[in-house]
Amino acid sequence: MAYSNNGGYGGYNRGFQGGQSRPQPRRDSDRPAPEILPEAVPADYIDRAEAVIKELTESRRNITTSKIRNLLSLVSGIYDAEKLRTAQELTPDSVSRVGMMRIRTAYEAGRDDTVKTFVEKARLLQYMKGIGSSREDLIRFAHYMEALVAYHRFYGGREA
């Protein structure tokens, strides 16, 4: 394909003179994202889970059942491996899996605005980061996720 004098190959980029670029609108992604700081799952995590789901249900920004269950499944495998142990610290494999769970959750939140809203309201990334290598914190987080799923079902979370 031959280069045309109209600013590109075969007519692409018509309307722009050589050396000019399109003005780019300012996007939210141009602002630096706030740092995700570690937090412990609160002692009243059951009430917190109910409040999160009620708020999302009332605002009609609720996550689908399949998406919330996919997030629960990320922690369930780690929980199953750790629940019978008595050590206070997670195994190195479980610590690694918690890190992968954080990555996967961030990825899913980036793909879908309803998932992002859910992750932000439920403070999932902060709580996952707060687990560190504590087995007790992982178990509390797993129970928090189960409470979120239970209240999602109770308040009629949408299917799909």
Side-chain angles (χ1 to χ4, degrees):
M1 186 178 284
Y3 184 80
S4 76
N5 289 332
N6 293 337
Y9 290 93
Y12 294 113
N13 298 326
R14 288 194 189 267
F16 291 95
Q17 304 277 326
Q20 289 183 341
S21 63
R22 292 182 198 201
Q24 296 294 316
R26 181 153 174 86
R27 298 182 307 258
D28 288 339
S29 63
D30 290 341
R31 284 186 236 127
E35 184 179 354
I36 298 170
L37 300 173
E39 293 180 23
V41 175
D44 66 340
Y45 64 86
I46 296 170
D47 294 330
R48 172 87 174 115
E50 181 180 17
V52 166
I53 297 300
K54 280 177 76 172
E55 180 182 347
L56 290 172
T57 301
E58 289 168 0
S59 69
R60 302 215 181 264
R61 297 276 301 158
N62 211 355
I63 189 170
T64 64
T65 300
S66 61
K67 299 255 179 166
I68 194 171
R69 292 197 59 82
N70 284 340
L71 293 175
L72 174 65
S73 73
L74 296 174
V75 73
S76 294
I78 307 168
Y79 173 76
D80 290 343
E82 292 290 338
K83 70 180 174 186
L84 299 178
R85 295 181 63 246
T86 57
Q88 291 184 357
E89 299 292 312
L90 295 172
T91 65
D93 180 58
S94 292
V95 171
S96 174
R97 290 173 67 187
V98 168
M100 291 306 297
M101 177 175 63
R102 282 177 46 207
I103 292 168
R104 180 72 185 271
T105 301
Y107 174 74
E108 291 298 328
R111 290 184 64 213
D112 186 329
D113 283 342
T114 57
V115 174
K116 184 174 186 175
T117 301
F118 172 75
V119 167
E120 288 172 345
K121 296 283 184 193
R123 307 195 60 74
L124 294 184
L125 293 174
Q126 290 87 340
Y127 295 158
M128 284 181 211
K129 199 169 190 179
I131 292 170
S133 62
S134 169
R135 185 178 157 273
E136 181 181 334
D137 289 344
L138 171 79
I139 290 170
R140 184 184 302 261
F141 178 77
H143 291 167
Y144 175 62
M145 284 298 299
E146 290 171 347
L148 288 166
V149 171
Y151 280 111
H152 183 265
R153 172 58 62 201
F154 181 77
Y155 288 110
R158 67 185 174 107
E159 297 293 325

